[in-house]
Amino acid sequence: MACVLLLSRLLPFSHRLTRTSICLLSLFLSYLCYCALFPVGTVMHRSGDAPPSCQLVPADGAKRRLQKSSLSCVLQLEARPSSAEVQPREKKPEQRASSSSFSSSSSHLLAVRSDTPSPLMGNSKFGNKKLPNAIIVGVKKGGTRAVLEFIRIHPDVRAAGTETHFFDRNYDRGLEWYRGLMPRTLESQITMEKTPSYFVTKETPRRISAMSQNTKLIVVVRDPVTRAISDYTQTLSKTPDLPTFQELAFRNQCLGIVDTSWNAIRIGLYALHLENWLRYFPLAQIHFVSGERLITDPAGELARVQDFLGLKRIVTDKHFYFNRTKGFPCLKKPESSGSPRCLGKSKGRTHVQIDRDAIEQLRDFYRPYNVKFYEMVGHDFKWD
């Protein structure tokens, strides 16, 4: 209307215009102004095309515009009518390119929003990373490494090569971190790991039970006196200035008072540690391997381990030979290997010589604990 009034002042024939003519002229000028301000393409785009805010523009501008309008793009994509409702229309080449770019960007946005399986899950061809079905939980210097190396030659067993220390040192990292340390296994295979310090860590039974109450547990035990000397020998090899064994083992050797705060002594109190485990697991779910028989009859001990795990007895005496130099059984060389598989240099060390009186004092100290342990597990390991 303002434009019409202005025009009436400027044009010489404006005084001849009727009221109706002025109204029509006003509507026409208003339409021209509207078209100038709002181009048709921004208002009346086809429902099958991508909104302009979702189309790609050159260089960095494209990224900024997509980021600002990503949510609206996704919503409009989801709200599009199905092919059954609207027949597709042939697009011009430039329209197909724009639509393809938008479709690719929207698919990416939807993929980010959706829940995707963890990469640790793997696939059926190569197997999945699973939480362990069985764990060798102890004990240190009892023969845990030998049991793991012997049982893992079974085709239905896959095991983590290193000690994970998840349930005693790395529990705050979470189960998915723990799962990531496991090897890939098929559905028919058992996943295992071994960390000997688990048996003497108070929180471990509860934590493993929280993961799975069906986890099978293996404990490799050994004469606690011999085990303590072996433990000391290993530590001495790393710390040459270590005090003598007697100094660490006794508070007062003359009175026969043993220092149970020393870890090498405390580990051998098997009955006390087992009481903690039996609060969370039935005895039938725990298998005890004799560290002594593992040396003299490895095939027999492995047969019982395989039975406990529900495996076919594939690991037999044909897999072992006795290495006289190490004083320990080794695995015979596989057909694909040029040498036998023996445990490392840290296994089978010559023990430090300990005074005979000190050994007898320790045997007297451990005797009542050993007897209680025999009663709890229903087996006499004959450590006396």
Side-chain angles (χ1 to χ4, degrees):
M1 186 61 73
C3 294
V4 174
L5 293 175
L6 179 61
L7 187 63
S8 66
R9 296 290 185 181
L10 297 177
L11 296 178
F13 60 88
S14 59
H15 64 279
R16 300 177 185 176
L17 295 175
T18 65
R19 181 175 299 179
T20 303
S21 300
I22 292 175
C23 290
L24 291 175
L25 182 61
S26 174
L27 290 173
F28 177 72
L29 293 175
S30 297
Y31 175 74
L32 291 179
C33 292
Y34 182 84
C35 291
L37 293 173
F38 303 101
V40 177
T42 62
V43 178
M44 301 178 64
H45 61 272
R46 293 191 301 270
S47 60
D49 294 336
S53 60
C54 295
Q55 294 176 353
L56 295 177
V57 295
D60 295 337
K63 297 181 182 178
R64 288 194 294 270
R65 291 177 64 177
L66 279 175
Q67 289 173 354
K68 291 180 180 179
S69 59
S70 61
L71 180 59
S72 63
C73 292
V74 172
L75 293 176
Q76 291 184 33
L77 177 66
E78 294 173 345
R80 286 183 178 180
S82 64
S83 58
E85 296 172 332
V86 178
Q87 291 295 327
R89 304 186 339 185
E90 184 65 21
K91 298 180 182 180
K92 296 179 181 179
E94 62 270 20
Q95 291 174 333
R96 285 198 296 268
S98 176
S99 177
S100 175
S101 300
F102 166 69
S103 179
S104 175
S105 301
S106 300
S107 299
H108 173 70
L109 290 169
L110 289 173
V112 172
R113 291 175 59 198
S114 63
D115 294 328
T116 56
S118 168
L120 299 177
M121 295 304 293
N123 56 62
S124 58
K125 182 178 180 180
F126 300 103
N128 301 322
K129 291 197 172 189
K130 301 181 294 186
L131 294 172
N133 311 92
I135 304 176
I136 302 174
V137 297
V139 297
K140 180 183 179 183
K141 304 309 295 180
T144 58
R145 173 55 62 179
V147 172
L148 183 71
E149 293 301 320
F150 294 165
I151 194 61
R152 73 192 304 183
I153 68 175
H154 196 293
D156 292 333
V157 173
R158 297 295 309 280
T162 58
E163 297 174 6
T164 68
H165 286 281
F166 173 66
F167 292 103
D168 59 350
R169 300 179 189 173
N170 298 300
Y171 193 64
D172 59 334
R173 293 176 179 262
L175 286 174
E176 286 307 307
W177 178 86
Y178 184 46
R179 187 202 302 269
L181 301 179
M182 297 299 116
R184 294 186 182 277
T185 53
L186 302 175
E187 286 299 320
S188 60
Q189 294 177 317
I190 291 177
T191 303
M192 292 184 65
E193 75 117 327
K194 77 104 179 173
T195 302
S197 56
Y198 286 166
F199 189 66
V200 298
T201 304
K202 185 177 180 180
E203 299 83 4
T204 299
R206 174 181 56 79
R207 290 172 175 176
I208 295 180
S209 177
M211 176 188 72
S212 173
Q213 295 182 341
N214 298 320
T215 306
K216 293 187 176 182
L217 308 169
I218 297 175
V219 185
V220 189
V221 290
R222 186 182 184 185
D223 182 334
V225 177
T226 307
R227 196 221 65 81
I229 296 173
S230 178
D231 197 338
Y232 174 79
T233 301
Q234 182 184 53
T235 306
L236 186 64
S237 68
K238 301 174 182 178
T239 314
D241 58 346
L242 199 67
T244 65
F245 179 85
Q246 288 91 325
E247 289 177 302
L248 295 171
F250 296 94
R251 291 183 179 179
N252 189 323
Q253 187 176 356
C254 295
L255 300 176
I257 301 175
V258 177
D259 188 353
T260 56
S261 65
W262 185 33
N263 197 49
I265 295 294
R266 186 175 62 86
I267 290 175
L269 303 175
Y270 303 140
L272 298 183
H273 303 304
L274 181 58
E275 285 179 346
N276 186 35
W277 285 87
L278 293 179
R279 294 188 181 100
Y280 300 92
F281 292 94
L283 187 63
Q285 217 162 304
I286 308 175
H287 179 71
F288 298 91
V289 176
S290 168
E292 286 78 21
R293 286 202 304 267
L294 189 63
I295 296 175
T296 60
D297 183 21
E301 283 303 297
L302 264 293
R304 285 181 277 273
V305 171
Q306 292 171 92
D307 291 345
F308 172 69
L309 295 176
L311 299 171
K312 183 179 179 181
R313 288 191 177 186
I314 292 179
V315 183
T316 62
D317 54 0
K318 69 181 180 181
H319 291 90
F320 301 97
Y321 81 97
F322 189 81
N323 187 313
R324 296 184 181 279
T325 303
K326 295 181 71 69
F328 205 87
C330 295
L331 293 169
K332 292 180 180 179
K333 71 173 183 177
E335 294 180 359
S336 59
S337 174
S339 61
R341 288 173 55 188
C342 283
L343 300 180
K345 295 180 179 180
S346 63
K347 310 299 179 183
R349 285 193 188 96
T350 301
H351 288 178
V352 175
Q353 293 297 315
I354 306 298
D355 180 71
R356 189 65 192 175
D357 291 338
I359 292 177
E360 290 302 323
Q361 287 175 307
L362 287 177
R363 292 202 181 282
D364 292 340
F365 166 76
Y366 278 118
R367 187 169 292 109
Y369 295 100
N370 292 343
V371 171
K372 184 176 181 180
F373 180 65
Y374 300 161
E375 293 173 350
M376 293 174 72
V377 303
H379 181 78
D380 185 349
F381 290 87
K382 303 184 183 303
W383 290 326
D384 292 330

